[in-house]
Amino acid sequence: MPTVEYLNYEVIDDQGWDIEDDDLFEKAQDLDLGESEHGSLEVAEGEYILESAEAQGYDWPFSCRAGACANCASIVVEGEVDMDMQQILSDEEIEDKGVRLTCVGTPETDEVKIVFNAKHLDFLQNRVI
């Protein structure tokens, strides 16, 4: 079962870190954050990351659940996440910036690291509902 380590974008913003930092997850671990901000989820085969987070009691942002807005956007820092039926992100955002939608995203590698709540990034603002 794939494991997704997650970090809330608001922590990065509050700490003044850069999303490009190589050691984001190590720095987050040093802060001793609560599980709603940083931790890991096991995601069942074929299950969306957002569904898995909700099943484990987390309240992650979303709106449409259909890949048509950026409310549930995350940045893949490590590993691969596949998406079905998304219609809002450009190829550049997916390939160069690592953006994936958690509502239609499933882990493709055993270990994935994502920054969730990335809807606050400037380039996604115009697609948040």
Side-chain angles (χ1 to χ4, degrees):
M1 198 175 303
T3 301
V4 175
E5 186 177 355
Y6 58 85
L7 175 60
N8 189 337
Y9 176 76
E10 289 180 349
V11 171
I12 295 169
D13 197 39
D14 290 347
Q15 295 295 322
W17 299 339
D18 190 305
I19 200 154
E20 304 283 324
D21 291 350
D22 289 336
D23 59 349
L24 278 179
F25 288 81
E26 290 81 1
K27 291 193 288 193
Q29 194 145 1
D30 290 344
L31 285 182
D32 198 30
L33 298 162
E35 281 192 3
S36 62
E37 304 299 321
H38 173 247
S40 62
L41 313 162
E42 288 198 342
V43 181
E45 191 72 33
E47 185 177 32
Y48 295 131
I49 296 170
L50 177 63
E51 290 174 336
S52 180
E54 290 175 331
Q56 294 177 52
Y58 301 119
D59 186 22
W60 286 13
F62 72 90
S63 187
C64 73
R65 291 190 186 269
C69 75
N71 286 45
C72 71
S74 67
I75 304 295
V76 177
V77 175
E78 190 175 297
E80 292 293 324
V81 173
D82 188 40
M83 289 183 293
D84 0 292
M85 65 188 175
Q86 80 81 24
Q87 51 207 340
I88 193 86
L89 302 175
S90 69
D91 289 346
E92 178 196 2
E93 288 165 335
I94 295 168
E95 292 159 22
D96 299 342
K97 297 184 178 175
V99 181
R100 299 293 187 281
L101 304 176
T102 61
C103 73
V104 293
T106 53
E108 290 296 302
T109 50
D110 286 341
E111 304 228 345
V112 173
K113 290 183 179 181
I114 65 168
V115 173
F116 78 96
N117 203 12
K119 68 181 184 176
H120 299 292
L121 289 165
D122 289 343
F123 67 90
L124 293 172
Q125 286 295 298
N126 65 340
R127 283 161 289 160
V128 171
I129 296 175

